[in-house]
Amino acid sequence: MAKVIIPNQKFIDLLIDKSQTVVIDANLIIPPDRSSIKLSHAASLKLSFDKYKEDFLNPLFSVFPSIAIHEAVYAEIIETDVIKEYIDHKIESKTITLLRDQDLSSEEESLRNTVEGSIAQFTNYNPYIDNRKDRGEVKSLSYAVAKELVYFSTNDSNAISLILRQELEPYLHSLGAIKVYELIFAIRIFHGNLKILKGLYKLLYYLTAREKEINHDWATFCDECEKEYREYCN
């Protein structure tokens, strides 16, 4: 993000029709942890999963009822029992759709393989050895293209840069990135100004001195998003 919020047409389209499928990355389900950062002032650098699920994930699934995760992302997030139990319940209740490669047709699988190989060369993932690094985002993006899904949300700047990368434009041209701060704004609009949202925003975007230079403070962020997106919030 930067001091000037440039309207995201994909986010506008999603606000207009919130029933559309949004594929999300693992870092949206796992609470942010920035405790490795050394600050000169006291700050909350980590959120508990209980608080995060009640005040961010549950409202998120309520606002956008067609959230999906790829099975590779599922494999990343179930290593923690409490998260596995929560996600399994959401899948069983059809709050989250689990995207499985076995559900691809032969034509879709062929396209997925082509896109996966093209994306992987710009990441740390190697399809031939199926290593874990960047696997979730590569698998999610290539599956989304194969199934003609158009929304991918992540807090990983590298994943967002893949969607914008010129070399991948022929494959990802219809895919749009939904940023976490946009989801925070949407939850605030449709669920009220929950206390955690301000803290989550500060934790992700307004924690370090550099972030305070390039990003809006919470109040200004809310005002700017209101100007750009409020009219599309039914």
Side-chain angles (χ1 to χ4, degrees):
M1 192 174 46
K3 286 291 186 181
V4 176
I5 292 181
I6 300 174
N8 179 355
Q9 185 59 51
K10 287 294 186 181
F11 182 52
I12 291 173
D13 294 342
L14 183 60
L15 288 173
I16 293 172
D17 180 5
K18 297 186 292 298
S19 67
Q20 298 177 89
T21 299
V22 182
V23 182
I24 64 173
D25 203 1
N27 53 46
L28 261 75
I29 297 173
I30 300 172
D33 181 356
R34 303 190 70 186
S35 54
S36 61
I37 296 177
K38 306 302 181 185
L39 298 176
S40 59
H41 58 283
S44 177
L45 303 181
K46 184 177 181 179
L47 293 176
S48 71
F49 182 71
D50 283 344
K51 186 66 174 173
Y52 187 67
K53 74 178 182 182
E54 291 301 325
D55 292 344
F56 179 74
L57 291 179
N58 286 345
L60 174 67
F61 298 144
S62 174
V63 175
F64 302 106
S66 297
I67 298 290
I69 60 171
H70 189 271
E71 58 188 346
V73 169
Y74 176 79
E76 287 182 38
I77 61 181
I78 62 171
E79 295 181 355
T80 303
D81 289 342
V82 65
I83 298 181
K84 180 182 186 304
E85 181 180 351
Y86 175 78
I87 294 302
D88 283 347
H89 173 70
K90 292 299 183 184
I91 292 173
E92 290 168 7
S93 64
K94 302 188 185 304
T95 305
I96 296 176
T97 300
L98 184 63
L99 307 176
R100 305 175 186 271
D101 284 343
Q102 67 186 34
D103 296 330
L104 295 170
S105 68
S106 57
E107 293 80 7
E108 290 169 340
E109 182 178 6
S110 177
L111 176 58
R112 187 279 315 271
N113 291 341
T114 299
V115 176
E116 183 178 284
S118 299
I119 296 174
Q121 64 181 314
F122 300 107
T123 71
N124 294 303
Y125 177 65
N126 185 333
Y128 296 102
I129 61 175
D130 196 28
N131 57 301
R132 294 185 58 176
K133 185 66 174 176
D134 296 336
R135 180 199 295 160
E137 61 198 48
V138 173
K139 293 286 188 181
S140 296
L141 289 170
S142 55
Y143 185 101
V145 172
K147 283 291 189 180
E148 297 184 345
L149 304 174
V150 296
Y151 301 103
F152 178 70
S153 186
T154 179
N155 191 40
D156 188 328
S157 59
N158 292 328
I160 293 174
S161 69
L162 289 173
I163 297 176
L164 302 176
R165 198 173 187 100
Q166 184 175 1
E167 297 93 331
L168 296 175
E169 197 274 339
Y171 302 109
L172 306 183
H173 67 278
S174 64
L175 195 61
I178 306 297
K179 289 79 167 180
V180 176
Y181 65 81
E182 292 166 339
L183 299 179
I184 290 174
F185 169 73
I187 293 173
R188 176 180 173 271
I189 290 297
F190 294 107
H191 272 268
N193 196 9
L194 302 176
K195 183 178 180 181
I196 192 178
L197 298 180
K198 179 178 180 180
L200 179 59
Y201 175 85
K202 292 178 68 175
L203 178 59
L204 293 175
Y205 299 107
Y206 207 71
L207 190 63
T208 67
R210 175 58 179 162
E211 288 168 352
K212 291 178 180 179
E213 287 180 3
I214 63 175
N215 294 332
H216 290 302
D217 61 77
W218 171 250
T220 306
F221 161 75
C222 292
D223 289 344
E224 291 300 309
C225 284
E226 287 272 352
K227 294 176 185 176
E228 299 296 345
Y229 298 120
R230 182 57 146 162
E231 64 181 293
Y232 307 106
C233 298
N234 299 323

